[in-house]
Amino acid sequence: MIGIIRQPVLVGISLIMTATQAHASDTSHYDVNAHLSPDGKLNATVTITLTPEDAKRDLDFVLAKRFKITKLEVDDAATYKIGVAETPLPDLQLIETDFPDSQSEFATLTFTYEGPLDEPDSKAPAYGPDGLELALDYMWFPLAQQINLNFSAHTVLSGLPEELVVAAQGEVERKGDTVTITRQSPDFDIPLVAAPGLSKRSSGHVDVYAPDFDYPPVENITDHAAKSAAYFEDIFGPAGYQGRIVLSVLPRERNAYARRGYVVMSEARSAIEKDPNVPAWAFARIVAHEFSHAWWMYADPMSDDFWMTESLAEYSAMRYLARGFGSAVADDLMEKRYQTALDAGPILGGGRPSSSSLYRRGPMILNELEGRIGRDTMDKVLRVVAEEQLGTTDEFLTVLEGHTEASIAAWFKAMLKTGPGPWLPEDAANTAQGSR
Ligand SMILES: [Zn+2]
């Protein structure tokens, strides 16, 4: 639903020139200037500089309703409408943009807004006694609604208590209560962690931040972070993400997640209290999955192509498990997951696939593909997909066709469309189906 229609505010030509010169690249860019007050209120000005190509996509942006937009400026050739949205999360305001089809210069949108960073009853507040943890889930900056705008970012955040140590993508500079974060690599989020008592350990291309490296699971996670990154680099080539990979292991209990070159995990103390015998490989699998996203992160997260981010990551994690802990460990886990994979719907054809399709069925179909074309060919295919930073099924199939018979690529595509049920229709009666 669309609410009020506002007139665009004129922006001087000199500002547009400056923006064009400052970002003479092929990536859109966010300039974030924000202040966080001790009571958790955010005052922010965000300037989004869009490449002509991104501007012409007429993106819809979303921002949490709890923020009051006090000013919104767009180029004079553009218009916007403000309404409401309930996706990808509830309680959002929607800003629909319309740029001319003839757009040939970089375009800018500037949002000024203020409001509480957290919902009053939030169970997992971004800002609290554990420090600050920002990711797009908090809808704290104007985000492309389809989460399909990648951008570089320059973030200046003030009001941050000095005892909080910041872990973020790119270059991080700290001065008093202000942190400046410069990220050249494109990503669709502006994630950061600022927590008390974090110290840093570096190894290879990886920086790990944690408050307690002596806690055995943290030690274990730190070890597998560097090892899995090295393993993936060895088989998939250099990660598309330029720069160091940052991992934060935090005491809070929340799921692990990754952005480009950036991973956040939990120490999982309560899980370990419940079951002190959690095997070492369980942490290794999570670390490897999240770290592989430095290679697999190019698919549109709202589309059926998203298997190329998540199924490839889980397939890679299983490879790492087999390598580090023996193939019996990986096979056992596949066996346990087999029924969920069987019950899952198809990967292709219905927009973003279900979790069972992405994390269970997809990796098994990839494993089956590897069995058919051989590991060497599989790795050659994956190297090209990683190196060219491909994110669509069609692109994947084209690379596959270039490395194997057309019939195998056709078979693989057909398998991505199966489900629920076995993914080996032409030999479903064979033992192959039951063996995984
Ligand atoms: Zn993932």
Side-chain angles (χ1 to χ4, degrees):
M1 196 183 84
I2 304 306
I4 332 149
I5 299 178
R6 296 194 194 175
Q7 289 302 310
V9 179
L10 300 185
V11 176
I13 197 87
S14 61
L15 180 62
I16 299 168
M17 295 285 290
T18 312
T20 309
Q21 284 156 2
H23 309 295
S25 77
D26 55 0
T27 303
S28 290
H29 181 81
Y30 274 52
D31 251 306
V32 178
N33 256 289
H35 180 78
L36 187 60
S37 61
D39 61 351
K41 286 224 168 59
L42 190 77
N43 275 274
T45 298
V46 176
T47 297
I48 306 172
T49 304
L50 297 169
T51 63
E53 293 71 32
D54 281 336
K56 281 187 277 195
R57 291 162 67 199
D58 293 337
L59 293 160
D60 299 335
F61 292 88
V62 287
L63 179 70
K65 264 186 196 163
R66 60 184 183 277
F67 295 111
K68 181 175 190 286
I69 299 176
T70 53
K71 202 169 167 192
L72 210 174
E73 293 174 293
V74 298
D75 296 346
D76 51 5
T79 58
Y80 64 86
K81 290 186 243 178
I82 297 188
V84 293
E86 296 293 321
T87 56
L89 289 172
D91 298 326
L92 301 172
Q93 34 198 334
L94 177 73
I95 301 93
E96 292 181 283
T97 66
D98 187 1
F99 287 89
D101 292 342
S102 58
Q103 183 83 32
S104 60
E105 302 288 329
F106 279 66
T108 60
L109 282 155
T110 300
F111 293 79
T112 304
Y113 54 95
E114 58 190 38
L117 184 55
D118 286 300
E119 299 287 352
D121 52 354
S122 172
K123 287 193 182 71
Y127 192 40
D130 296 339
L132 175 69
E133 183 175 348
L134 289 178
L136 60 81
D137 310 62
Y138 295 99
M139 295 288 159
W140 68 279
F141 66 90
L143 170 81
Q145 189 185 24
Q146 301 300 315
I147 319 181
N148 57 0
L149 174 66
N150 288 311
F151 52 85
S152 55
H154 183 257
T155 306
V156 180
L157 177 63
S158 61
L160 210 56
E162 289 189 38
E163 67 271 20
L164 302 184
V165 179
V166 176
Q169 297 163 307
E171 303 294 318
V172 177
E173 243 178 275
R174 191 71 202 263
K175 216 174 190 183
D177 77 344
T178 301
V179 63
T180 303
I181 304 165
T182 309
R183 181 188 78 210
Q184 309 288 351
S185 274
D187 201 347
F188 53 75
D189 196 359
I190 306 173
L192 72 91
V193 159
L198 292 182
S199 53
K200 176 166 100 166
R201 287 208 186 156
S202 299
S203 171
H205 300 306
V206 178
D207 292 336
V208 183
Y209 290 83
D212 183 3
F213 281 100
D214 294 331
Y215 185 49
V218 175
E219 220 179 339
N220 190 0
I221 287 167
T222 304
D223 182 42
H224 288 294
K227 281 187 187 156
S228 65
Y231 173 66
F232 294 141
E233 184 160 353
D234 191 39
I235 56 176
F236 305 139
Y241 176 78
Q242 307 288 315
R244 304 184 62 73
I245 304 177
V246 171
L247 163 67
S248 303
V249 190
L250 304 176
R252 95 283 184 280
E253 306 274 338
R254 258 178 267 169
N255 288 340
Y257 59 93
R259 300 292 182 261
R260 284 186 187 149
Y262 177 90
V263 177
V264 183
M265 290 181 64
S266 161
E267 285 180 347
R269 282 183 197 255
S270 70
I272 290 155
E273 273 160 28
K274 260 185 241 154
D275 178 9
N277 300 317
V278 175
W281 63 257
F283 291 101
R285 187 202 63 77
I286 300 172
V287 175
H289 175 106
E290 302 301 346
F291 266 65
S292 77
H293 281 308
W295 286 263
W296 316 127
M297 182 71 85
Y298 300 105
D300 180 342
M302 307 301 271
S303 76
D304 49 9
D305 291 326
F306 197 44
W307 70 270
M308 287 186 58
T309 293
E310 292 305 341
S311 302
L312 278 174
E314 191 56 24
Y315 163 81
S316 304
M318 298 304 277
R319 292 266 304 259
Y320 180 71
L321 269 196
R323 154 88 163 223
F325 297 85
S327 52
V329 169
D331 288 348
D332 272 4
L333 188 57
M334 296 256 262
E335 189 74 46
K336 284 200 186 87
R337 293 173 165 189
Y338 179 67
Q339 192 59 46
T340 311
L342 207 60
D343 293 343
I347 310 268
L348 296 183
R352 183 184 166 117
S354 70
S355 294
S356 305
S357 301
L358 288 172
Y359 299 99
R360 300 294 180 261
R361 194 174 179 89
M364 289 199 195
I365 294 175
L366 284 164
N367 192 54
E368 186 60 36
L369 174 65
E370 184 200 310
R372 293 188 177 216
I373 65 178
R375 180 159 285 188
D376 279 358
T377 307
M378 186 74 173
D379 288 351
K380 281 182 192 143
V381 169
L382 294 181
R383 252 177 188 265
V384 175
V385 172
E387 191 182 312
E388 297 185 5
Q389 307 189 0
L390 305 180
T392 70
T393 305
D394 285 345
E395 288 169 330
F396 186 95
L397 292 171
T398 302
V399 177
L400 185 58
E401 278 163 9
H403 286 81
T404 183
E405 298 150 41
S407 63
I408 291 202
W411 166 84
F412 182 68
K413 187 178 184 182
M415 291 310 98
L416 292 174
K417 292 180 174 174
T418 64
W423 49 87
L424 305 167
E426 79 272 30
D427 51 13
N430 294 347
T431 49
Q433 179 205 332
S435 71
R436 301 187 194 279

